[in-house]
Amino acid sequence: MIHIILRKKLSYFVLAFFLFAIICVWKERKKESYYDSLKLETEGSRVVTSLEKLAMGSGSQSSVSTGKGSQAPSNTRASAKAKLEPSFQVWNKDSSSKNLPSRLRTIRRNYLKMNKYNVTYKGPGPGIKFSAEALRCHLRDHVNVSMVESTDFPFNTSEWEGYLPKENIRTKAGSWGRCAVVSSAGSLKSSQLGREIDDHDAVLRFNAAPTANFEQDVGTKTTVRLINSQLVTTEKRFLEDSFYNEGILIVWDPSIYHSDIPKWYEHPDYSFFNNYKSYCNMHPDQPFYILRPQMPWELWDILQEISPEEIQPNPPSSGMLGIIIMMTLCDQVDIYEFLPSKRKTDVCYYYQKFFDTACTMGAYHPLLFEKNMVKHLNQGTDEDIYFHGKATLSGFRSIRC
Ligand SMILES: *[C@@H]1O[C@H](CO)[C@@H](O)[C@H](O)[C@H]1NC(C)=O
Ligand SMILES: *[C@@H]1O[C@H](CO)[C@@H](O)[C@H](O)[C@H]1NC(C)=O
Ligand SMILES: *[C@@H]1O[C@H](CO)[C@@H](O)[C@H](O)[C@H]1NC(C)=O
């Protein structure tokens, strides 16, 4: 009897051990394919200087701690150099779909076949090369960042009277100098970027990204919140959660490729209009804009134009839209964790325990190609990307074309 029980116990133990081993191997392989997929670039010569800085304790507060830095003993530098020789890696601006894990490659192909939004792109491109300066101008001149207005049919009918903000968003925003775009990436966790983010004139956040309980990492200020129509339509909490009540709200909804406002109004991706009105009735003083549905496709066209292969025929991500919106409203835009830092992770959001490589690499959205573009446009350093997840782009106002 005892024998049988023991043998049973032993076999359970062996089974449990095998399961554990299988899970471990699977996790390891997933991790590997993720890092492979990033196909990161290395910059040997810069590494040493950045690590020297780090060893001297300047890190993110270089302007604050220069005094301390000068006191750093020189042998610390030397040993840091020796120990930290392996170079760091950041996003490669020429990443291609070949770098994707096979699951995401399949998803991309399926979206290409599906062509849900009837995209009929005829060129120019694909694969046209622009210098970063020329691309900035190209974006400025071809992506019209504006909101639906009360003169646009059918928003000019009595049904819509009094809902859309009267003031142009550019007037409402005034002229912001330095702005922050805060992604919702899991890699913001433990970043300690909160103070740096709050130090900007305006901060844009996305969808249901909270600040409460995450202040140290993401800050407290919300000046603009860009939300998708799905959230407005399906999340009951949209009308209840108080964190939506701060700052300027902008909702966007994907239209059929380049359809005009009346056509889009008949076939929105999500019919968010009733909830939009309910929210406006509850918060009549909060500006709540609707992004012109043409804007995401104007941006998509440029993403396709500059990418050497076919990109997903789905609208750009909220992240990419938010970046372009802030480039029109600000002199300078600091973007946090859109290009992944050393904290990169498969955890999708800093506020949820949900894992998926697609959140970094893209499945529905042409995220890979968006990141290539932001990396190409980045005027900050690779160190800033690696250590702080920070890319810096000039606003359209402050460029000369
Ligand atoms: C998209 O294109 C297909 C095939 O040309 C057509 O049948 C369909 O009606 C189009 N959809 C919309 C919403 O325009
Ligand atoms: C952008 O769109 C708005 C609203 O439709 C329009 O009034 C404006 O002329 C457009 N600007 C450009 C540069 O096309
Ligand atoms: C709304 O705009 C449409 C198209 O510009 C126009 O034909 C219509 O008369 C306008 N309606 C009102 C009530 O102003």
Side-chain angles (χ1 to χ4, degrees), residues 10 76 88 129 136 156 158 164 181 194 199 204 222 227 236 249-250 271 290 320 326 351 362 367 381 385:
L10 191 70
T76 320
F88 63 81
K129 289 211 185 324
R136 265 194 289 281
N156 65 354
S158 58
L164 296 175
V181 171
D199 196 31
L204 180 139
T222 306
I227 55 185
K236 272 205 213 89
L249 285 178
I250 306 173
S271 192
I290 302 174
M320 193 65 239
M326 289 311 249
Y351 54 92
L367 206 49
T381 62
I385 298 173

Side-chain angles (χ1 to χ4, degrees), residues 95-205:
S95 299
S96 90
S97 66
K98 290 195 200 87
N99 306 137
L100 292 171
S102 68
R103 178 177 70 96
L104 296 185
R105 252 181 290 162
T106 309
I107 291 175
R108 173 176 160 272
R109 271 198 304 272
N110 289 343
Y111 277 125
L112 282 167
K113 257 186 256 153
M114 197 190 308
N115 194 13
K116 181 178 168 195
Y117 298 98
N118 281 7
V119 171
T120 51
Y121 183 78
K122 298 271 162 37
I128 301 218
K129 289 211 185 324
F130 284 87
S131 69
E133 293 72 28
L135 181 55
R136 265 194 289 281
C137 294
H138 196 53
L139 283 165
R140 188 196 71 175
D141 296 341
H142 292 92
V143 183
N144 185 354
V145 179
S146 53
M147 307 293 151
V148 172
E149 288 169 15
S150 56
T151 48
D152 293 318
F153 180 80
F155 295 88
N156 65 354
T157 58
S158 58
E159 225 182 293
W160 276 92
E161 206 173 328
Y163 283 106
L164 296 175
K166 290 191 182 63
E167 205 173 355
N168 186 298
I169 191 163
R170 289 167 210 240
T171 324
K172 184 90 211 160
S175 52
W176 290 323
R178 290 172 60 249
C179 297
V181 171
V182 185
S183 81
S184 305
S187 45
L188 274 162
K189 251 202 143 165
S190 309
S191 68
Q192 300 286 320
L193 286 166
R195 263 217 218 148
E196 181 179 326
I197 289 169
D198 278 345
D199 196 31
H200 290 79
D201 300 328
V203 177
L204 180 139
R205 299 181 195 277

